[in-house]
Amino acid sequence: MSLYLDYNATAPLCREAKQAMLEAMEWVGNGSSVHQFGRQVRQKIEQARQEVADFFKTSSSSVIFTSGATEANHLALCGFEGRIIVSAVEHDSVDQARPDRLVCPVDARGILDLTALEALLKKGNAPVLVSVMAANNETGVIQPLEQVVNLAKQYGAFVHCDAVQAIGRLPFSWEGIDLISLSAHKLGGPQGVGALVMQTDIPVKPQLRGGGQERSFRSGTENFLGIVGFAAALKVVKDQDWVAIEQVRDTLETRLKALCPDALFLVQEAHRLPNTAVLVMKGVKSATQVMNFDLAGIAVSAGAACASGKVKSSKVLKAMGVPGELADCSLRVSLGPTSQMDVIDRFLEVWMDIYERAHVSSQ
Ligand code: PMP
């Protein structure tokens, strides 16, 4: 039996998105063409835009479709002319967008240090954009967005939020956040499409210029199929039973601890996504664990898997002050709506096998 426990990397395409995309494949036309074919495609794109806007209870003109969250993050940060403050645990697509960014530290749980944020806000001139993710992709830790927004507003700063890992996994308030980045493939939609939701009139300069699509914020023919699939996935994501998923995650942690007292759990005390666990198998490198789980048919992940597929050591855990010898032996398990209690037995069996083999061979 193979098990997919890597939803934070990407979620399988949901039935509804697949169906909507199959139907859309029958349509011909460029959404910018004035003839009836183009107009029909345009109508579908605008319907999808409205559905994304409805999710955020905002106007459809706020939604700028992009090729994913990496591009949405770049549009937000590179398009903003002013100072940028990012948290120390942001995804690389935020962290590397602006080399001149200021970095705000986090505490041992990975939660933004609000006192440090205030000190950074006080320093220097406006305009300022604060970029803080809703939930971390490696740990699932949730940031205090409401407090970030209140503090930023006190200093006249704008707020951007990379909401990629949060959508549909917990109810969030998006009030007061100027810019929100989304990615379809984390929520059951297709890969290669996302959006920047511009909830206010924040000045952002386009990064892709040309045909003037997406209200000139993002030129280029829209990814029609992707957009249709994205909206369809977003519609059903609200109905997922994440309480049940949390029970699976918690049971997995409890049973693992009982079975292997040597196992450690990071960020267990923090407010975190219901689907994410970070486990440490002492003395066994993350890459070895991932490989062995893979050989046993279980897909899990470690640190941030970069584009080359190599496991890099985690910047996020480092920013939290997790000692290198633990961070380098950590493993991320991220569950999804299809993960039932029956995944636990198999996961624990493979964990114990890897653990025992490693510890017998090192004796
Ligand atoms: N931000 C976060 C928090 C992510 O987890 C990811 C995907 N790993 C991205 C941004 C990038 O998203 P995309 O793949 O759509 O470019």
Side-chain angles (χ1 to χ4, degrees), residues 220-240:
T221 302
E222 292 91 345
N223 175 357
F224 168 53
L225 289 180
I227 288 169
V228 165
F230 177 14
L234 195 58
K235 246 193 207 168
V236 292
V237 89
K238 285 180 281 201
D239 306 327
Q240 286 168 1

Side-chain angles (χ1 to χ4, degrees), residues 56-331:
F56 291 93
K57 301 186 179 61
T58 187
S59 69
S60 62
S61 61
S62 321
V63 178
I64 308 299
F65 286 117
T66 63
S67 63
T70 298
E71 189 193 324
N73 288 337
H74 276 70
L75 176 55
L77 301 182
C78 302
F80 181 79
E81 291 183 334
R83 287 199 304 139
I84 302 274
I85 301 172
V86 307
S87 90
V89 290
E90 294 301 310
H91 187 265
D92 278 348
S93 58
V94 166
D95 191 45
Q96 294 178 17
R98 282 273 303 264
D100 60 343
R101 84 263 183 259
L102 299 169
V103 179
C104 183
V106 295
D107 67 15
R109 295 162 304 163
I111 294 172
L112 190 81
D113 179 340
L114 291 163
T115 311
L117 176 61
E118 184 158 18
L120 287 169
L121 283 165
K122 275 184 184 159
K123 242 197 292 186
N125 301 326
V128 180
L129 177 65
V130 178
S131 181
V132 177
M133 68 201 325
N136 187 267
N137 44 305
E138 289 183 41
T139 61
V141 169
I142 292 167
Q143 296 295 346
L145 286 182
E146 220 178 294
Q147 286 161 278
V148 171
V149 168
N150 289 341
L151 195 56
K153 299 295 157 192
Q154 225 174 293
Y155 288 88
F158 297 101
V159 178
H160 164 251
C161 178
D162 175 340
V164 164
Q165 296 290 344
I167 302 299
R169 292 183 181 169
L170 272 185
F172 276 82
S173 163
W174 306 108
E175 225 180 290
I177 297 173
D178 301 281
L179 300 168
I180 306 167
S181 293
L182 308 173
S183 177
H185 72 96
K186 306 287 181 173
L187 50 92
Q191 298 179 353
V193 64
L196 183 67
V197 182
M198 303 175 74
Q199 296 210 108
T200 62
D201 273 341
I202 170 170
V204 168
K205 290 240 162 84
Q207 299 302 295
L208 297 179
R209 298 174 191 85
Q213 289 89 345
E214 300 299 296
R215 295 200 295 124
S216 287
F217 281 109
R218 198 275 184 187
S219 285
T221 302
E222 292 91 345
N223 175 357
F224 168 53
L225 289 180
I227 288 169
V228 165
F230 177 14
L234 195 58
K235 246 193 207 168
V236 292
V237 89
K238 285 180 281 201
D239 306 327
Q240 286 168 1
D241 185 358
W242 289 95
V243 175
I245 293 165
E246 184 165 31
Q247 282 168 357
V248 176
R249 193 267 317 269
D250 292 350
T251 309
L252 185 148
E253 288 181 343
T254 311
R255 286 190 48 201
L256 176 56
K257 193 69 192 166
L259 203 60
C260 181
D262 204 23
L264 288 180
F265 306 91
L266 302 181
V267 301
Q268 217 176 8
E269 303 309 322
H271 183 31
R272 57 183 174 148
L273 292 177
N275 75 319
T276 310
V278 187
L279 319 172
V280 177
M281 189 189 288
K282 282 192 220 157
V284 186
K285 292 275 187 233
S286 308
T288 309
Q289 294 184 51
V290 170
M291 219 160 50
N292 280 287
F293 271 106
D294 185 38
L295 288 171
I298 300 180
V300 284
S301 149
C306 65
S308 64
K310 286 192 196 128
V311 176
K312 295 186 285 185
S313 80
S314 168
K315 268 192 345 195
V316 171
L317 298 182
K318 193 167 176 207
M320 291 160 55
V322 176
E325 66 273 20
L326 296 187
D328 290 348
C329 296
S330 66
L331 190 78

